[in-house]
Amino acid sequence: KTRVAVLGASGYTGCEITRLLAVHPELTISAMTAERSAGLDYPAVFPHLGGLDLPKMTKTDEVDWSNVDAVFCCLPHGTTQEIISGLPGEMPVVDLSADFRLRDVNVYEEWYGAPHTAPKLQKKAVYGLTEINRDNIQGARLVANPGCYPTSIQLPLVPLLEGGLISPEDIIIDAKSGVSGAGRGNKQAFLYTEVAEGLHSYGVTRHRHMPEIEQGLSDAIDAEVRVSFTPHLMPMSRGMQSTMYVKLSGSIKVEDLRESLKLRFEHERFVRVRAVHVCK
């Protein structure tokens, strides 16, 4: 089996990737890191995963890299660049932060508020939206896992733009997410009494997923695409729904959009195109 390390295993992203990796028939988890939880067994942080055979969590600088073949990096953006740059050799990495999603390091600095510290490594990164970029992902040394909103938005829009079925102009995106998408940190805006029984928009015109969305849509037609994107926080733990409003091209009908998506994704294991008028 391929031996993998999970860096940042104590966060929500680390928890989910650990759950998936632990039951994968071709992978085994040989190392798990969590700076503040180093030395603890994993069930001490996530009791619901107590039945899995997992190593104790350690600090990153304590990992025995000779026992690791590949890395899943679940650290916060800004910390990942230095960590990945310091890994031995050409060890394959899947990075689940935002640090390597944007090709232009100047755009990264504009939206994330700090210079990119690994521009040479950025040039090796491949955007990891598998259903759209599968051929380039295979064999990549560094895969930048896409963000949550960009995944839900690019999967339907990229094929429609590539096929010329919709206009690239005046695309409106109304998206809603559960609270776990904001991470596990203690922030006032995500306290129960702040979120429960309500709904509010946030990051309007400045959400950090905006340039990632526009980068992917622009790639689809090799021309600049700008969108109106408004994310909302929902009083639920997890889940996401993105509703896109688009202009149809020429004589294209709504039925043509669904048929195009059905053909594009009919063999994709993780994408399901629902019947007309079915929204759940």
Side-chain angles (χ1 to χ4, degrees):
K1 292 186 175 182
T2 299
R3 302 165 300 175
V4 300
V6 179
L7 309 186
S10 61
Y12 288 139
T13 301
C15 173
E16 188 66 7
I17 200 67
T18 295
R19 182 184 68 82
L20 296 171
L21 295 174
V23 296
H24 196 289
E26 298 179 18
L27 303 175
T28 183
I29 300 176
S30 60
M32 304 176 73
T33 75
E35 301 303 305
R36 287 178 293 181
S37 300
L40 296 178
D41 291 321
Y42 205 57
V45 180
F46 292 110
H48 68 289
L49 297 182
L52 301 176
D53 182 18
L54 298 169
K56 281 183 179 290
M57 291 180 287
T58 68
K59 293 186 176 181
T60 303
D61 59 10
E62 297 173 348
V63 173
D64 177 8
W65 296 109
S66 67
N67 195 37
V68 176
D69 301 311
V71 172
F72 286 82
C73 193
C74 308
L75 298 168
H77 70 265
T79 63
T80 301
Q81 299 159 32
E82 181 180 354
I83 294 294
I84 294 181
S85 297
L87 293 178
E90 290 291 304
M91 185 172 291
V93 177
V94 176
D95 177 37
L96 289 97
S97 80
D99 276 5
F100 294 96
R101 296 173 186 164
L102 300 176
R103 288 192 300 270
D104 189 333
V105 294
N106 294 318
V107 174
Y108 175 89
E109 181 175 355
E110 175 187 351
W111 286 83
Y112 286 87
H116 200 290
T117 61
K120 292 183 179 179
L121 194 56
Q122 173 62 59
K123 294 178 180 180
K124 298 181 180 181
V126 173
Y127 191 67
L129 188 54
T130 308
E131 291 81 2
I132 304 298
N133 206 24
R134 178 175 280 108
D135 291 343
N136 291 325
I137 293 170
Q138 295 178 5
R141 188 258 161 152
L142 172 57
V143 176
N145 194 77
C148 49
Y149 283 123
T151 297
S152 69
I153 292 162
Q154 291 179 87
L155 283 176
L157 291 187
V158 165
L160 299 181
L161 285 169
E162 288 179 339
L165 279 70
I166 61 173
S167 169
E169 299 178 355
D170 301 325
I171 296 174
I172 300 173
I173 303 162
D174 175 6
K176 299 173 177 65
S177 171
V179 184
S180 62
R184 210 179 185 194
N186 184 15
K187 302 173 185 176
Q188 179 179 326
F190 308 128
L191 296 174
Y192 176 82
T193 50
E194 301 288 334
V195 176
E197 302 176 21
L199 165 69
H200 70 271
S201 56
Y202 68 101
V204 180
T205 75
R206 291 302 302 173
H207 194 283
R208 289 167 169 169
H209 283 175
M210 175 86 84
E212 183 182 343
I213 293 166
E214 293 181 339
Q215 174 182 270
L217 301 185
S218 298
D219 287 348
I221 59 171
D222 197 26
E224 187 176 70
V225 176
R226 292 287 178 260
V227 300
S228 174
F229 169 57
T230 306
H232 302 78
L233 190 65
M234 295 287 288
M236 58 188 186
S237 297
R238 61 189 294 174
M240 177 165 289
Q241 176 172 300
S242 294
T243 303
M244 278 73 78
Y245 301 87
V246 300
K247 292 181 178 179
L248 305 185
S249 299
S251 59
I252 297 297
K253 300 179 181 178
V254 173
E255 293 79 6
D256 299 324
L257 304 188
R258 181 184 177 278
E259 188 61 26
S260 175
L261 294 175
K262 182 180 178 182
L263 291 173
R264 177 66 175 263
F265 295 120
E266 62 181 344
H267 299 300
E268 294 292 351
R269 191 170 183 178
F270 301 111
V271 179
R272 292 168 178 78
V273 178
R274 306 306 300 271
V276 177
H277 305 310
V278 175
C279 298
K280 61 180 181 179

